[in-house]
Structure formats: C-alpha cells, structure tokens
Amino acid sequence: MAWVVLTAVAATALTGCSGFLVPAGEGERAPTPSARAATPPPPPVTPPPVADVPAQGPGPSPTPTPTPTGTCPASGAVVTMGEVLTAMMSRAAVLTLTNCGSKPYRVDGYPSVQALGEGGERLPVKVNPAGSMFGRDQGPEALTLKPGATVKSMLAWVSTQEGGELVMADALELAAAPDAGARVQPLEGHDIRYMDELNITAWRAELPE
C-alpha cells in the first residue's frame, strides 16, 4: 500500500514540473523595449547654394589704360630714357627717339645730353660721342622716321683717370639734337646721379653691339 502512495506522489511531482522541460528558446517573451527611446540622428545639413562663377580661361587681357607721355615738342621728336643697365661696376641706359609728330622726321647725329643741378643749372659734365662696354659707336647715319618710328642710342657713365671728385646731378636734359625740344629726366633714387663723364652713341635703328 505504501508503494502505491509513493508512486502517485511521484507522478504528481513530475506533472507539476512539466513547464520547465521545454526546449531552450521556446516560450520566451520578446525583451521589453527600453522606456527611454533612442535619440534620432540629426537631419542632414544642406550646404547653401553657390553662385555660378564664370570660368577664367586664358582669354584676352583687358586693354590697359594708356599712360600719358607728355606733349610732343614742336620739333616732332621726343627722347625718353629706359631703365638703368648695370655690368661690372658700370652703368648705362638706352635713349629712344620717337617721331611723335604727324610728318616725317629726319635724324642724323647724336642725342643732346646735359647734366643739370638741383636748381636746373647746367653742370660741367663732359659728354663724349663714343662707345662703351655696352656697345661701340657706329657713327652718325642719316635716317628719316615716319610718324611713330623710333631710333636708339646708348648713354653710358664712364670714369677717367684724370677725373677728380664726381659731380652730383639731379637730372639730365635730353633732346634729339641740340636745336630740338628738350625733355628733363630726373635722376632721383639712382646712383647714376654721381658722374665723371658720359659717352653717347649716334642715333641708329638698332642698338650697337
């Protein structure tokens, strides 16, 4: 009789525990979502529109505004001095004569060059019709320039063994010829203000070599 009672009790115990004998993963509830919702990502930032800019290609450059060069003298010829050239402790500059008039201009000889002092007075600086290390003097040549045509000359600063103290000039008076209209070229800011003598080549269509 006791054996029957034990058998019944064992059967009841197995029946009550049958809920634990399930395959792993079956009967499990889905995890409860967190009460704190995830923060949504910020909206994408749209860059401001860029204005269309025309491409800058290698097109033609704008035409520069012409620089006034002064009034054309009554002679119809104007003389200008270029940049100062340097070589082996020597100085020189190219003079250019331009026919700025409306008629042909005849040239035959040398430029007229005169050193001027602070008050515009003429200084005793000798000007030689000769060449220099920048080019030899080929001598005068009769040329007729059409309006706008040019000829050139080389002006060089030279020192002599007999030269004493250098003369300081504030400007040079330049002209196509002694009887033509002159133009003053300031020398401020240049070491060429100090001079002994000047050498000048004759007017030529091409610079001397």
Side-chain angles (χ1 to χ4, degrees), residues 9-10 75 79 133-134 174 206:
V9 172
S75 62
V79 178
M133 66 175 299
F134 294 92
L174 306 175
E206 301 292 338

Side-chain angles (χ1 to χ4, degrees), residues 126-137:
K126 187 178 181 181
V127 180
N128 310 303
S132 64
M133 66 175 299
F134 294 92
R136 61 188 180 88
D137 179 29

Side-chain angles (χ1 to χ4, degrees), residues 78-118:
V78 62
V79 178
T80 56
M81 188 177 84
E83 295 182 359
V84 178
L85 308 175
T86 61
M88 296 179 63
M89 304 299 292
S90 299
R91 303 289 185 270
V94 176
L95 302 184
T96 301
L97 184 158
T98 303
N99 180 359
C100 56
S102 57
K103 299 179 180 179
Y105 183 84
R106 188 174 183 275
V107 59
D108 184 9
Y110 293 83
S112 175
V113 180
Q114 176 65 55
L116 303 178
E118 183 178 2

Side-chain angles (χ1 to χ4, degrees), residues 6-205:
L6 292 174
T7 303
V9 172
T12 302
L14 291 175
T15 304
C17 296
S18 61
F20 295 97
L21 302 179
V22 293
E26 291 187 10
E28 296 181 1
R29 291 182 301 173
T32 304
S34 174
R36 183 177 180 180
T39 304
V45 179
T46 303
V50 180
D52 293 336
V53 179
Q56 297 181 354
S61 302
T63 303
T65 304
T67 303
T69 55
T71 305
C72 184
S75 62
V78 62
V79 178
T80 56
M81 188 177 84
E83 295 182 359
V84 178
L85 308 175
T86 61
M88 296 179 63
M89 304 299 292
S90 299
R91 303 289 185 270
V94 176
L95 302 184
T96 301
L97 184 158
T98 303
N99 180 359
C100 56
S102 57
K103 299 179 180 179
Y105 183 84
R106 188 174 183 275
V107 59
D108 184 9
Y110 293 83
S112 175
V113 180
Q114 176 65 55
L116 303 178
E118 183 178 2
E121 71 279 9
R122 294 194 169 192
L123 301 177
V125 176
K126 187 178 181 181
V127 180
N128 310 303
S132 64
M133 66 175 299
F134 294 92
R136 61 188 180 88
D137 179 29
Q138 299 175 337
E141 180 183 18
L143 299 170
T144 300
L145 305 181
K146 297 179 180 180
T150 62
V151 288
K152 298 182 183 298
S153 171
M154 184 67 74
L155 173 65
W157 280 249
V158 296
S159 297
T160 63
Q161 294 180 353
E162 298 80 10
E165 293 185 1
L166 297 177
V167 175
M168 187 178 72
D170 274 38
L172 292 176
E173 185 182 81
L174 306 175
D179 56 349
R183 190 175 192 179
V184 175
Q185 172 69 45
L187 300 179
E188 296 179 358
H190 291 286
D191 58 356
I192 57 175
R193 294 180 62 187
Y194 299 92
M195 55 189 70
D196 179 6
E197 294 184 5
L198 299 172
N199 282 6
I200 192 76
T201 62
W203 291 121
R204 288 279 181 160

